Amino acid sequence: MSQQGYVAAPPYSQAQPGMGGYQGGFGAGPAQPLYGHYGGPPQAFAAPPTGMMKSPVSSAAGMPPPPVSNQYNPNVQQNGAHPQRYPAPPAASAYGQPLQSPYNSMASMAPPPAQQLTNQMSSMNLGNYAPGPMQSPPPPTSSVAQQPFQTSPPPAMGQPQMPPGPQSPHMSPQMSPQMSPLQSTQASMPMAGPPMAGPPMAGPQMGGPPMAGPPMGGPPMGGPQMAGPPMAGMGRPFPGPPPSGPGGFQQPGPGAAGPPGYPQQAGQFGGLMTGPQPGMPGAFPGAPGGLAGPPQKKLDPDSIPSITQVIEDDQVKRGGQVYSTNIRGQVPPLVTTDFTVQDQGNASPRFMRCTTYSLPCTADLAKQCQVPLASIIKPFANLPKNETPLYVVNHGETGPIRCNRCKAYMCPYMQFIDGGRRYQCGFCNCVNEVPVFYFQHLDHMGRRVDFYERPELSLGSYEFVATLDYCKNNKPPNPPAYIFMIDVSYNNIKSGLVKLICDELKTLLENLPSEEGMEGSAIKVGFVTYNKVLHFYNVKSALAQPQMMVVSDTAEMFVPLLDGFLVNYQDSRAVIYNLLDQIPDMFADTNESETVFVPVIQAGVEAFKAAECSGKLFIFQSSMPTAEAPGKLKNRDDKKLVNTDKEKTLFQPQKGVYEQLSKECVAQGCCVDLFLFPSQYMDIATMADVPSHTGGSVYKYNNFQVESDGEHFLRDLRKDVQKSIGFDAIMRVRTSTGFRATEFFGAIHMNNTTDIEMAAVDCDKALTVEFKHDDTLSEETGALMQCALLYTTINGQRRLRVHNLSLNCSLQLSELYKSCETDSLVNFFAKSACRAILNQPLKNVREILVNQTAHMLACYRKNCASPSAASQLILPDAMKVFPVYMNSLMKTAPMVGSAELSTDDRAHQRLLIMGMGVEDTQLLLYPRLTPLHNMDVSTETAPAPVRCSEERLTDSGMFLLENGHSMFLWLGQAIPPDLIQGIFNLPSLAHLQGHMFALPELDNPLSNKVRSIINGLIEERPNSMKLHIVRQKDKPEMVFRQFLVEDKGLHGGASYMDFLCYVHREIRQLLT
């Protein structure tokens, strides 16, 4: 087995901190190297040869650093600092082979004697956040008797106390052959904030790696018990007997260190390394490891970077301003900031955002810093009322003007020469003739005289009317159609859902989307009901009554009628009303509980084929399709797979008919939106596969009840039907020479490596595109990208929507870090992680996330920051809250290995993330927590959000938390009765009943303001949210707590503070 980046020679070798030990990164299969390493083998920071090391007592971890004042200077450019290259270890093995965990860095320093332990904490000075070095009490003297792990911590909340393992003096770290890596971790924690039990992310009942599954020491959030560095996540909720063996450490017998098939890994001292065991002192979640000696100063949570502060500062600095897009490579305001865009030659950040606005000039620089180069494109983003909608350019028969060589569309980056008769393409430098009709003279600056009259020369975003060459079969397309397909099986009839949908459709169809300035909508509508068979309805306007046709042969699906199935709503309104009244009664006595699913989608595709149009299917389904038909599913939910290498199969759709169906849908421009009402497992990974490849959305209402969920579902349905959308779309991202688009993430389908196909694309869908170098970029010309989207409008017109963006290029890494955008980086990592869990064990994916976080920050520290003590954590200004988001990402449902979470919920969230834009991932990973108890009710402004942590809640307070998908109103147990009276019209909190889903409409200033804040948020977000009212200390409060992302995760996962300490150790490891 290759032990990369790790030297295990007894007894005191310094392990080399390696980044090489993890498997190649996200993306296709294991063969490909880690995504951050642009194509090369994983890099390692070179460690000095072992022979040169002094004894570990004088190692960096042991020395208290000199106090350094404000070293947080994002603008330092070190001229002449040559970016250093790190030699690469041999490329990592495929993940079938066991890998030396990258976390071997955990065990890399022999623990210094106790006298140095106390210095750990004195030295954590966080950039200019901390007030200065913290003082620590005098060191204790005896090095063995006062091991830092001696005192058993108090039990975690509500969990029984566990006996500490016996600790015998002869097991001092100097001699212990099976020393748990936990000891060395704690002994060299550079920035231990609150003394920690194990590194960050220790979940309930266990010291050990962040977010691991059952007892284990794997890398952060690792899977089942495995040798490797510490960090444990959700341990068992009950204490086991203390493990045998001296010192509370398990003595591994043959094969005890890991699951079968994993050779045991050598520990730091040549013996075997076992994971920390639950009986070990220091193994409780929130418990301090109890450092010997007087109590330490606790790190102040206010001194570490805060997202709410960053958001507030940006709003103060750039809020309410006009952002003009005339400068290349300028970083836009944050997505949370309220600003107005004026398009002056680059696409608005509402359409395109980048992970960095200054690309490194060479592939080597990109590889060195590992900051992913990506753009998040939301081609149909909604623009606020005060911004100009896109201009439509019509060149008549000739169509859009394009470069002959690379086919880029006319845009502001084309340079006119030769008196205006020719132009040079900004993307490929080809010189093209200007068509006669398009000729125009140049002014004294070399600019065309009609520069400001032509959107395609002066604006970053605009549309062209497409000619017949851009249409299927060279025929103009028909307007799209919407088909409503309602599952009328027993569950949906009994719950009242069918009646609810039918009643809503009567008003909803009045509001179908239409082009600006058009009377009524051009969209046609059709209706299908189904259980084991399909019922089609003829609603032709000439009929007095609707007619029903039944297709019971679901194996060979066809549409039994062409004329009268898809109709104009306005023409057939009376017949449709009649039908919607009849459907609930027609099936009132049904006892058919089985349903089909694939034939329903096939019927929709066939109907669109026959009508020669594209469109959308709205499918309302309540159970897994178990009836005999294509696409029949069986229950494959298996909680035993969680935290194993086979866990990825839970997220993978079943192949075969579903895969084929996605292709047929995309080819026809048939988008599928799925509304699910499950009462048990539905295999969402498979059922949502078609929506997730056709630009569709999946909505899910567990245990649906009309009273509590009806309004929430109808709000989603209204938003979904009315949102602006384009159909039968194909998109291409072109770049100037030197780099190109290589990876694409989103609700998309790709037949080849360049064309992104979407059956539909709406205003909330974003795709993320990663770029790689194929040559050197020049600082002078910068980097250009053009995203061109060909689509059919809701009126049936074929159009091209073009978004252009120009970025800077630099040889200085400091420029790249200065113009990074954290929110976009996080969107990229969230999507690439969500794709990676389809092919790799979760443990590897989490490991890669932590490694890349540390690597990006270490590279900044090494190449861009002014020199300072090793113990100080220095973060680039633009990325100072990046660790909060990354830690939160690792605590999302898809990324946590917990058998307590439903497989369907995890699969659903994974698919949601794949289509999200930057503002959606930002909010999902850092929910907004707003205090409502002390706000000024006389003003319109909403109160400022506070940090997302339990420490911010107060017993007498009322807080609103929302993340775009869930919404909670939290009430403290000591909340003043007048607040309860004002909001609920009840005398006290005790009178509040458990089943409220909306606030009563009371006419007082407090109630009005709270309701307007809640309604405003529900209106603003892409999805509707159901309001959950939770009281402090009630059982439902546990659900609310998992959204407090700065705290420890309920299902495993570190607190922000612990994660920051952990990342800081990793960074120091990389730098030594």
Side-chain angles (χ1 to χ4, degrees):
M1 178 179 123
S2 62
Q3 299 252 346
Q4 297 136 3
Y6 184 82
V7 183
Y12 286 119
S13 79
Q14 180 88 2
Q16 291 181 335
M19 286 270 305
Y22 48 81
Q23 171 209 324
F26 295 176
Q32 192 178 327
L34 169 70
Y35 58 67
H37 296 275
Y38 297 86
Q43 307 291 302
F45 282 70
T50 15
M52 290 161 51
M53 287 292 177
K54 295 202 189 102
S55 85
V57 173
S58 60
S59 77
M63 302 302 285
V68 172
S69 65
N70 169 19
Q71 72 309 13
Y72 194 121
N73 182 352
N75 299 327
V76 175
Q77 273 193 339
Q78 294 179 322
N79 295 329
H82 292 291
Q84 215 151 333
R85 203 61 101 26
Y86 315 114
S93 56
Y95 70 76
Q97 320 281 302
L99 286 152
Q100 175 58 37
S101 146
Y103 280 84
N104 46 33
S105 45
M106 288 265 193
S108 68
M109 289 190 192
Q115 146 250 312
Q116 259 119 0
L117 273 161
T118 43
N119 297 333
Q120 295 168 10
M121 322 204 53
S122 64
S123 57
M124 181 174 160
N125 177 3
L126 255 157
N128 57 6
Y129 295 102
M134 297 174 204
Q135 295 307 308
S136 75
T141 41
S142 136
S143 76
V144 176
Q146 292 190 314
Q147 272 300 310
F149 308 103
Q150 213 134 26
T151 53
S152 171
M157 179 176 82
Q159 284 164 350
Q161 170 88 46
M162 229 184 215
Q167 193 141 23
S168 51
H170 70 263
M171 276 297 285
S172 89
Q174 263 71 349
M175 335 170 15
S176 130
Q178 276 102 12
M179 189 196 91
S180 151
L182 188 61
Q183 283 195 343
S184 61
T185 302
Q186 289 217 329
S188 59
M189 199 60 191
M191 121 179 192
M196 274 172 28
M201 287 177 120
Q205 294 291 40
M206 200 166 219
M211 252 162 133
M216 91 180 207
M221 284 177 79
Q225 169 139 8
M226 225 167 173
M231 281 163 156
M234 319 89 37
R236 297 162 301 184
F238 47 86
S244 55
F249 303 120
Q250 181 183 357
Q251 298 284 334
Y262 278 81
Q264 292 172 333
Q265 304 180 1
Q268 184 191 355
F269 300 102
L272 290 170
M273 219 160 63
T274 62
Q277 299 303 320
M280 184 179 130
F284 288 93
L291 284 169
Q296 300 287 322
K297 263 231 179 98
K298 192 174 174 201
L299 186 72
D300 175 17
D302 283 333
S303 66
I304 57 181
S306 146
I307 289 183
T308 47
Q309 193 57 51
V310 167
I311 289 175
E312 205 174 307
D313 293 349
D314 197 69
Q315 177 64 41
V316 168
K317 193 166 121 198
R318 308 182 73 171
Q321 298 183 4
V322 173
Y323 171 76
S324 295
T325 68
N326 54 350
I327 302 167
R328 184 178 85 190
Q330 64 174 336
V331 184
L334 296 181
V335 281
T336 44
T337 300
D338 189 22
F339 61 102
T340 305
V341 180
Q342 191 173 25
D343 184 341
Q344 294 189 349
N346 283 296
S348 158
R350 304 192 202 286
F351 296 122
M352 294 177 86
R353 280 183 176 265
C354 295
T355 51
T356 175
Y357 288 81
S358 179
L359 300 184
C361 283
T362 64
D364 286 340
L365 275 177
K367 192 181 277 189
Q368 187 182 337
C369 69
Q370 286 199 16
V371 174
L373 310 177
S375 178
I376 295 90
I377 305 171
K378 200 188 236 188
F380 265 81
N382 279 333
L383 296 178
K385 301 241 183 318
N386 59 351
E387 292 179 19
T388 325
L390 298 194
Y391 287 98
V392 180
V393 179
N394 191 346
H395 286 324
E397 297 287 293
T398 52
I401 294 172
R402 309 176 67 173
C403 167
N404 291 329
R405 187 195 290 162
C406 70
K407 300 288 182 246
Y409 294 88
M410 179 53 67
C411 68
Y413 315 139
M414 303 299 188
Q415 185 69 41
F416 287 86
I417 52 176
D418 200 7
R421 284 189 289 280
R422 300 194 298 169
Y423 67 91
Q424 185 172 19
C425 172
F427 295 90
C428 69
N429 299 326
C430 171
V431 174
N432 299 270
E433 297 292 327
V434 174
V436 178
F437 82 92
Y438 200 68
F439 173 79
Q440 185 55 270
H441 294 285
L442 307 185
D443 64 12
H444 64 287
M445 312 260 296
R447 246 187 357 197
R448 283 175 55 126
V449 184
D450 61 356
F451 178 79
Y452 288 111
E453 285 139 50
R454 292 199 176 271
E456 72 274 25
L457 299 182
S458 53
L459 299 179
S461 301
Y462 42 87
E463 294 200 313
F464 289 115
V465 175
T467 53
L468 290 179
D469 306 344
Y470 294 92
C471 302
K472 265 193 191 144
N473 312 327
N474 290 4
K475 287 199 320 206
N478 290 313
Y482 284 2
I483 306 179
F484 296 88
M485 310 180 110
I486 306 168
D487 161 4
V488 288
S489 60
Y490 177 74
N491 282 350
N492 281 359
I493 295 288
K494 186 169 125 273
S495 70
L497 176 68
V498 173
K499 182 162 173 33
L500 187 72
I501 295 170
C502 290
D503 289 348
E504 176 65 26
L505 284 179
K506 293 177 191 169
T507 50
L508 189 55
L509 295 175
E510 298 283 351
N511 301 323
L512 290 172
S514 61
E515 284 285 312
E516 298 285 317
M518 293 288 295
E519 292 270 317
S521 175
I523 295 174
K524 296 239 168 57
V525 293
F527 302 89
V528 173
T529 55
Y530 66 95
N531 38 44
K532 263 198 332 205
V533 298
L534 276 74
H535 323 103
F536 294 81
Y537 296 93
N538 183 346
V539 284
K540 205 154 79 182
S541 55
L543 296 173
Q545 281 284 342
Q547 296 170 344
M548 170 161 121
M549 300 196 178
V550 179
V551 176
S552 51
D553 178 11
T554 49
E556 291 294 324
M557 204 54 227
F558 67 98
V559 177
L561 73 161
L562 294 180
D563 189 28
F565 177 57
L566 294 177
V567 297
N568 180 304
Y569 173 69
Q570 299 300 341
D571 299 346
S572 299
R573 187 194 271 135
V575 193
I576 291 173
Y577 256 60
N578 202 327
L579 170 67
L580 294 172
D581 282 337
Q582 290 181 30
I583 288 176
D585 302 338
M586 249 188 302
F587 299 99
D589 304 327
T590 186
N591 39 19
E592 181 55 74
S593 59
E594 286 197 312
T595 56
V596 296
F597 180 62
V598 165
V600 180
I601 299 178
Q602 281 169 339
V605 175
E606 291 302 322
F608 292 152
K609 264 188 197 153
E612 296 189 346
C613 69
S614 49
K616 187 188 255 200
L617 309 180
F618 296 82
I619 301 181
F620 305 90
Q621 170 115 6
S622 67
S623 60
M624 194 154 72
T626 51
E628 278 309 324
K632 172 184 175 179
L633 295 175
K634 48 184 190 296
N635 189 339
R636 58 181 187 127
D637 187 16
D638 185 358
K639 289 284 199 282
K640 291 201 284 298
L641 299 181
V642 174
N643 282 320
T644 69
D645 282 356
K646 291 215 175 103
E647 181 169 9
K648 56 181 182 256
T649 58
L650 297 174
F651 296 114
Q652 293 166 351
Q654 304 206 5
K655 291 277 188 277
V657 57
Y658 284 91
E659 212 171 7
Q660 188 50 39
L661 190 56
S662 291
K663 289 186 181 138
E664 286 171 26
C665 285
V666 172
Q668 188 51 47
C670 167
C671 167
V672 179
D673 276 358
L674 200 47
F675 292 82
L676 298 174
F677 306 88
S679 49
Q680 56 204 34
Y681 176 74
M682 271 184 98
D683 194 358
I684 285 183
T686 302
M687 291 187 70
D689 189 47
V690 177
S692 69
H693 283 96
T694 57
S697 309
V698 181
Y699 301 89
K700 179 159 155 295
Y701 312 90
N702 294 349
N703 304 313
F704 178 83
Q705 290 175 323
V706 170
E707 307 72 56
S708 56
D709 306 285
E711 196 44 48
H712 168 43
F713 152 64
L714 292 178
R715 280 193 304 250
D716 272 335
L717 179 59
R718 286 173 206 137
K719 280 178 189 257
D720 198 54
V721 169
Q722 293 165 13
K723 61 184 165 192
S724 55
I725 185 167
F727 289 94
D728 204 5
I730 185 159
M731 180 166 132
R732 170 92 51 106
V733 179
R734 294 183 172 81
T735 53
S736 52
T737 48
F739 74 121
R740 64 198 160 88
T742 53
E743 285 289 329
F744 304 89
F745 306 89
I748 54 172
H749 174 75
M750 296 195 70
N751 267 331
N752 55 34
T753 55
T754 53
D755 296 333
I756 303 146
E757 296 182 57
M758 295 170 279
V761 54
D762 64 48
C763 55
D764 299 320
K765 297 285 181 300
L767 77 160
T768 300
V769 182
E770 187 180 8
F771 301 101
K772 295 269 165 80
H773 286 75
D774 44 22
D775 204 347
T776 303
L777 300 171
S778 109
E779 288 188 319
E780 245 162 84
T781 53
L784 311 175
M785 54 180 86
Q786 181 180 76
C787 151
L789 175 84
L790 176 65
Y791 72 100
T792 303
T793 67
I794 42 189
N795 268 10
Q797 190 185 30
R798 204 72 177 142
R799 281 201 199 157
L800 274 153
R801 180 171 282 221
V802 181
H803 297 299
N804 303 289
L805 190 60
S806 59
L807 305 177
N808 287 333
C809 298
S810 175
L811 285 162
Q812 303 293 329
L813 282 177
S814 55
E815 282 302 309
L816 173 136
Y817 282 103
K818 207 185 295 180
S819 52
C820 267
E821 189 182 55
T822 291
D823 297 332
S824 298
L825 277 169
V826 171
N827 177 282
F828 172 84
F829 280 114
K831 289 189 183 184
S832 41
C834 280
R835 175 181 300 174
I837 59 179
L838 290 176
N839 308 312
Q840 298 185 46
L842 270 175
K843 196 166 102 292
N844 294 15
V845 177
R846 289 185 295 241
E847 214 164 273
I848 290 168
L849 290 173
V850 177
N851 273 318
Q852 201 157 354
T853 303
H855 202 122
M856 285 157 65
L857 297 173
C859 176
Y860 172 79
R861 173 72 191 253
K862 180 167 184 178
N863 299 294
C864 314
S866 42
S868 63
S871 59
Q872 283 182 313
L873 176 64
I874 300 180
L875 302 166
D877 196 47
M879 289 173 68
K880 62 187 175 201
V881 289
F882 182 64
V884 196
Y885 286 116
M886 289 302 267
N887 184 38
S888 178
L889 171 59
M890 295 200 291
K891 293 191 279 192
T892 54
M895 304 300 294
V896 179
S898 165
E900 290 167 40
L901 293 168
S902 104
T903 304
D904 273 347
D905 285 350
R906 297 176 70 198
H908 182 226
Q909 193 174 20
R910 190 190 82 76
L911 291 166
L912 277 179
I913 290 173
M914 289 308 285
M916 281 185 175
V918 179
E919 46 282 73
D920 309 324
T921 44
Q922 189 278 327
L923 189 60
L924 179 77
L925 297 177
Y926 201 84
R928 215 140 298 166
L929 180 65
T930 313
L932 300 181
H933 49 278
N934 49 9
M935 62 181 175
D936 179 359
V937 291
S938 59
T939 64
E940 286 288 295
T941 50
V946 294
R947 293 179 76 151
C948 215
S949 162
E950 190 189 351
E951 295 185 351
R952 308 289 153 170
L953 302 174
T954 54
D955 286 0
S956 59
M958 171 168 70
F959 290 81
L960 184 71
L961 181 141
E962 61 101 17
N963 70 349
H965 296 272
S966 307
M967 181 182 261
F968 295 89
L969 185 64
W970 183 90
L971 307 168
Q973 52 190 10
I975 187 168
D978 55 328
L979 277 180
I980 294 293
Q981 185 70 50
I983 300 274
F984 298 101
N985 201 15
L986 293 169
S988 74
L989 189 58
H991 292 75
L992 189 64
Q993 294 303 313
H995 46 74
M996 280 183 79
F997 309 102
L999 299 180
E1001 298 197 11
L1002 307 174
D1003 193 13
N1004 65 60
L1006 178 67
S1007 173
N1008 289 337
K1009 178 147 185 185
V1010 169
R1011 279 181 298 112
S1012 96
I1013 289 174
I1014 290 174
N1015 295 338
L1017 289 170
I1018 290 175
E1019 208 39 54
E1020 195 183 318
R1021 308 288 178 232
N1023 293 30
S1024 161
M1025 293 177 281
K1026 175 178 165 184
L1027 179 66
H1028 300 271
I1029 294 167
V1030 293
R1031 289 185 286 196
Q1032 187 179 6
K1033 304 269 200 296
D1034 269 12
K1035 204 174 172 194
E1037 197 201 13
M1038 289 309 280
V1039 184
F1040 163 80
R1041 282 183 185 271
Q1042 67 193 25
F1043 293 94
L1044 299 175
V1045 296
E1046 290 199 17
D1047 302 339
K1048 270 205 176 66
L1050 277 188
H1051 303 287
S1055 69
Y1056 168 34
M1057 175 80 79
D1058 291 356
F1059 182 71
L1060 203 56
C1061 295
Y1062 184 73
V1063 166
H1064 186 40
R1065 279 202 61 255
E1066 289 291 295
I1067 293 170
R1068 292 183 61 180
Q1069 205 62 57
L1070 290 168
L1071 294 175
T1072 40

